[in-house]
Amino acid sequence: MYRQTWLEVNLDDIADNVRKIRAICGKRIIAVLKADAYGSGDIQVCRTVLEAGAEMIAVSSSDEGLMLRNEGCQAEIMILGMAQTDDIPLLIENNIAAAAYSLKWAKDAAAKGCRGLKVQMKVDTGMNRIGFRDNAELKEALDILLEAGAVPTGIFTHFACADTSREMTDRQYLKFAEAVRYLDYPFEWIHCDNSDATVYFKDPLTNACRLGISLYGISTFQKDLKYPLAFYTRIGMVKHVGAGETIGYGATYTASEDELIATVPVGYADGFIRKNQGRKVYADGVYAEVVGRVCMDQAMIRLPEYRPEDTVVEIFGPHIPLEQMAADLETIPYEIICLVSPRVTRVYVKNGIKAAEYNERIHKSMK
Ligand SMILES: *Cc1c(COP(=O)(O)O)cnc(C)c1O
């Protein structure tokens, strides 16, 4: 490894989570691997979820889909976000489905040529992000796309409050069901559930669900999933700092007595943001406070008792839940893991052993 800071991704745990959720919901699984599989590495996670029974991969944009194809992924791939109509020839060539999300998009697609393009109709039922808000427009767009030779394979919507409001979710579902009925088209994929809805949303209409965050064990309702992700670094240097000495930029921390200060090679450029100052990390049996400002590439921690150089330091993982770190930083687990930057080596565990190391930047430079 190039630097002693890494994100451990346990692929066995991800596979277990897919199988468990699949058994609970009884629908086909679309694994949402946008943003490099929420920071965990889409190439490796893609293989794992497909082996575990997922039947489609969803990404946010054309580049993410093309990258997976270039890496040999042969599964069905769909784009959830706003694909550029200029990219349609590439999407057709690579068999990647686009979301048809507005009448303008459908008209542009038809004008530029979309014969053979797979499309999934996106219905906006209350999220007010993208999608058709009006059934007549939705129908018009479908007709335009059919006329232009596109291949409608699915229809979907997205819940805004699956974790907090059953009432809002039910309302959105009813609007979605109405849109599906209105079109009366034999779509192969009909889906609305995100991770949280997947657990409880049973309905006779939809036949797939879109799993993102629950692949990583984070779920509002399902508490027996595994946590495949852990973020680690190692102590690079330990020293005694005397009372009155300060630590780091801006001298924002002053030692009140003789203190053991360790330096770890993780900083805000790795996604360990400055707001972590004052929080604790875990070093072989003890919790150590992050003292002084977090630097770009390094941070200092105060050890309550001596730990030697090379001691593994956990930022989140078995001793510091990702959910706890997110709560401390007043955000959500999604943001914490997406922030772990590409320069942090991903270490993959498979069949119980460390199976691979992947550093995207080195990987590219060696190609
Ligand atoms: C991100 C996303 C998902 C997955 O959401 P999770 O809460 O991570 O399960 C599903 N559908 C759409 C449209 C999304 O943007």
Side-chain angles (χ1 to χ4, degrees), residues 21-277:
I21 296 165
R22 198 161 173 260
I24 291 168
C25 75
K27 299 176 193 170
R28 287 182 289 178
I29 303 284
I30 300 171
V32 179
L33 304 187
K34 62 197 185 195
D36 198 20
Y38 293 28
S40 66
D42 53 9
I43 299 167
Q44 292 79 3
V45 174
C46 179
R47 279 188 214 117
T48 298
V49 295
L50 292 172
E51 278 167 23
E55 280 157 275
M56 185 186 281
I57 303 297
V59 294
S60 74
S61 51
S62 305
D63 52 343
E64 293 182 348
L66 292 168
M67 222 254 330
L68 286 174
R69 280 283 182 258
N70 293 342
E71 294 285 343
C73 171
Q74 304 197 337
E76 292 276 340
I77 298 178
M78 74 168 289
I79 296 169
L80 297 169
M82 298 179 278
Q84 302 295 295
T85 48
D86 286 345
D87 291 335
I88 286 175
L90 269 173
L91 299 181
I92 296 171
E93 189 187 327
N94 287 277
N95 188 26
I96 296 171
Y101 62 88
S102 72
L103 190 53
K104 179 176 185 307
W105 188 90
K107 285 178 177 165
D108 285 355
K112 286 179 183 163
C114 59
R115 184 159 302 280
L117 175 70
K118 287 183 179 170
V119 289
Q120 292 226 19
M121 308 305 292
K122 176 71 190 278
V123 186
D124 183 0
T125 54
M127 176 78 176
N128 282 317
R129 188 166 64 179
I130 60 171
F132 292 90
R133 297 157 56 88
D134 177 84
N135 286 341
E137 260 191 17
L138 173 67
K139 175 92 171 58
E140 188 182 345
L142 179 64
D143 290 342
I144 288 170
L145 290 166
L146 281 168
E147 177 69 30
V151 184
T153 53
I155 185 163
F156 69 113
T157 193
H158 191 49
F159 292 140
C161 305
D163 53 340
T164 52
S165 169
R166 181 64 201 255
E167 192 259 322
M168 167 94 174
T169 305
D170 284 341
R171 230 180 321 128
Q172 284 194 259
Y173 170 74
L174 287 177
K175 270 186 100 167
F176 180 57
E178 202 181 292
V180 174
R181 260 199 312 274
Y182 186 88
L183 292 185
D184 190 25
Y185 183 87
F187 293 108
E188 186 190 344
W189 296 84
I190 305 174
H191 44 113
C192 55
D193 305 3
N194 58 358
S195 291
D196 275 336
T198 296
V199 175
Y200 64 79
F201 212 83
K202 312 278 180 217
D203 65 271
L205 176 71
T206 66
N207 55 25
C209 54
R210 302 189 301 272
L211 290 190
I213 199 71
S214 60
L215 298 175
Y216 311 102
I218 306 292
S219 169
T220 310
F221 307 108
Q222 191 71 29
K223 291 300 177 193
D224 57 351
L225 299 174
K226 293 191 171 153
Y227 290 98
L229 302 181
F231 193 10
Y232 296 110
T233 184
R234 270 185 206 272
I235 293 176
M237 179 177 178
V238 193
K239 62 193 160 286
H240 284 272
V241 166
E245 286 194 75
T246 63
I247 309 289
Y249 289 124
T252 60
Y253 176 85
T254 305
S256 55
E257 53 187 344
D258 185 70
E259 293 178 359
L260 270 170
I261 302 296
T263 303
V264 286
V266 65
Y268 58 78
D270 301 296
F272 190 65
I273 62 173
R274 291 166 89 245
K275 212 174 164 186
N276 282 293
Q277 181 172 351

